Amino acid sequence: MLDAPHWYARKYNSVVARTRESDPDAEFHLRQIGAELHASRLATIDYGDAFVLDLQDKGGIAMSGAINGDALTAVFLWGEGTLFNGERSDVPRLRILGPGTEFKLDLPGSYRLMRIGLRGASLEALRLASGQDRRNWLMPGLHQPAISATVELELQRRLLRTAGYAQAAARRGGDFSAGLGVAASEAGAALARALLFTEAPSERRLGTGEQRRIVDATLAIFETSPHGPVSVGAVCDALGIGERTLERAFQDCLGVSPRAHERERRLRAAHGLILAEGNRLSVTDIAMRFGFWHLGRFAGAYSALFGCSPSKTRLMIWGDLPMAA
């Protein structure tokens, strides 16, 4: 007979209280940064070879640590000003931390962390099933598998639904071990399938040194306006280059146009807000917050990226209570 899953849903008003919780797949250290009052809400399920966590937090903290050598962790982490190993992390994108990977997080304000971990037999099965050319995320390091936004959305939906079971079970106080165990196992299996059937990421295009400088400078300009559109013409004026030069630099370095990159950045930011606050904000509010004034075009562009409309995403995430069945 399988052991019952370990689960909880708790709120914290201090970093000290958060630090008391152990982590089955990582060693970490937390410290407060800034003077803002700390507050967080955490839901987890730990069952068999899978660990699921959903954390909403604010107040300014820094975190450092390492994933255990016998575990793999997939995370979606985003928030304004958030840094993940020194890189900005203001939109939800899947990152894989291989066994033994060290990490350093700077979280100066509000952020959201969603996580699925694999270990034990599940991780070993993934290792054996993966070809040599696909094993980069099973090695130490921070990786971004080349999976679609549609697959990312499915992982997010399963993760949030699973964490919702822990929250509802904590409120009701009953024995929901069977359902909690199934939910955690299914979330872990969804991650394993996504990694197993994902092609190995192609090597990033490099371009010339001057092109990389142009792209980096453009991305820095985009980041100064995280909630609104940035004109390509304004970027060219600021850098003193022509649009054709900017276009070629982006195509050679990133494989996309600057306009497409800028729009996807805002679409992913809007998606992150649906995940985090779609229970209290309308799709219209969210779209306009990120400079999408034409709702039909926003819905079309969002659907092309994530495979379903923003309204359907909001319904999938927030439209029903996890424990209603």
Side-chain angles (χ1 to χ4, degrees):
M1 183 174 179
L2 296 175
D3 293 335
H6 173 68
W7 58 271
Y8 59 82
R10 296 174 185 165
K11 296 181 179 180
Y12 306 92
N13 59 10
S14 72
V15 172
V16 173
R18 275 275 310 282
T19 305
R20 295 195 186 107
E21 298 293 350
S22 61
D23 190 304
D25 294 335
E27 298 291 335
F28 66 91
H29 173 72
L30 291 174
R31 63 180 177 85
Q32 182 86 31
I33 56 175
E36 186 178 350
L37 182 65
H38 183 84
S40 63
R41 186 174 69 186
L42 176 68
T44 68
I45 299 178
D46 182 10
Y47 179 70
D49 299 327
F51 177 69
V52 177
L53 176 148
D54 178 35
L55 171 65
Q56 299 178 66
D57 195 33
K58 68 175 183 178
I61 65 170
M63 178 187 298
S64 59
I67 304 299
N68 294 341
D70 59 351
L72 173 147
T73 292
V75 298
F76 296 97
L77 170 67
W78 72 101
E80 194 166 346
T82 294
L83 296 178
F84 197 135
N85 283 5
E87 295 185 358
R88 287 179 63 96
S89 185
D90 48 9
V91 298
R93 288 182 181 272
L94 180 65
R95 290 181 172 93
I96 304 297
L97 286 80
T101 301
E102 296 183 355
F103 57 86
K104 183 178 184 297
L105 311 178
D106 294 295
L107 311 159
S110 297
Y111 67 93
R112 186 75 175 262
L113 171 64
M114 296 163 24
R115 172 178 155 196
I116 307 175
L118 296 178
R119 58 180 180 268
S122 293
L123 184 58
E124 185 60 25
L126 179 64
R127 189 188 306 275
L128 293 175
S130 299
Q132 290 292 330
D133 60 338
R134 294 180 178 176
R135 295 178 61 176
N136 62 319
W137 48 79
L138 296 173
M139 302 297 289
L142 181 62
H143 314 289
Q144 284 192 245
I147 67 174
S148 68
T150 303
V151 175
E152 286 189 343
L153 174 57
E154 175 60 17
L155 284 174
Q156 292 161 357
R157 186 185 70 83
R158 287 184 177 272
L159 196 157
L160 289 174
R161 192 171 182 85
T162 302
Y165 274 109
Q167 292 175 333
R171 288 195 301 267
R172 296 193 179 190
D175 183 4
F176 299 103
S177 295
L180 292 167
V182 170
S185 297
E186 287 185 346
L191 171 61
R193 285 195 301 272
L195 295 181
L196 183 59
F197 296 108
T198 297
E199 294 296 328
S202 59
E203 293 185 6
R204 180 179 174 180
R205 305 178 186 188
L206 296 178
T208 66
E210 178 62 16
Q211 286 177 324
R212 291 196 298 273
R213 185 193 69 77
I214 290 172
V215 169
D216 289 342
T218 302
L219 296 181
I221 293 173
F222 286 165
E223 289 169 359
T224 63
S225 180
H227 297 296
V230 179
S231 164
V232 169
V235 171
C236 291
D237 290 342
L239 299 182
I241 60 175
E243 289 194 18
R244 183 174 297 181
T245 300
L246 181 64
E247 177 82 20
R248 185 172 299 169
F250 264 75
Q251 291 290 351
D252 288 349
C253 292
L254 301 180
V256 297
S257 70
R259 287 184 175 87
H261 187 282
E262 191 274 340
R263 185 177 67 168
E264 181 176 331
R265 174 184 65 89
R266 288 186 292 126
L267 287 170
R268 286 184 174 273
H271 175 69
L273 194 56
I274 292 174
L275 295 179
E277 300 188 47
N279 60 331
R280 68 179 190 87
L281 295 176
S282 70
V283 170
T284 299
D285 293 335
I286 292 170
M288 290 186 173
R289 183 170 296 192
F290 293 99
F292 293 102
W293 309 113
H294 192 294
L295 297 182
R297 292 174 185 168
F298 167 66
Y302 183 99
S303 298
L305 181 61
F306 291 100
C308 67
S309 69
S311 297
K312 185 175 180 180
T313 297
R314 185 171 178 266
L315 181 63
M316 285 192 304
I317 301 299
W318 298 103
D320 58 351
L321 295 175
M323 295 298 286

